[in-house]
Amino acid sequence: GVALVGIPLAVGALGFTAGGIAAGSIAAKTMSAAAIANGGGVAAGSTVAVLQSIGAAGLSAGSQIGLSTALGSLGAAAGALVP
């Protein structure tokens, strides 16, 4: 629940927005570094590309299901450890 809302909000706060990467943001600095490292462009599937995709459209249904499953399992495991 919280992660499914919190992750897109956090990504947006870094500067990965629906309108593109916000000037002067952490996202802009990250994109610049990635482009320099990659010879001038940001590679498809890179961390910057994935974060921008999340910022533009939110998490895909598959990502939401995977994240819910992983966090649910983690929560169950943590709950089992608490007396």
Side-chain angles (χ1 to χ4, degrees), residues 20-65:
I21 292 182
S25 66
I26 292 172
K29 291 175 179 67
T30 305
M31 181 178 161
S32 176
I36 290 168
N38 198 41
V42 175
S46 68
T47 300
V48 172
V50 170
L51 290 173
Q52 181 52 38
S53 177
I54 293 169
L59 293 172
S60 69
S63 295
Q64 289 180 14
I65 291 168

Side-chain angles (χ1 to χ4, degrees), residues 53-83:
S53 177
I54 293 169
L59 293 172
S60 69
S63 295
Q64 289 180 14
I65 291 168
L67 188 57
S68 295
T69 302
L71 293 176
S73 297
L74 182 62
L81 297 175
V82 177

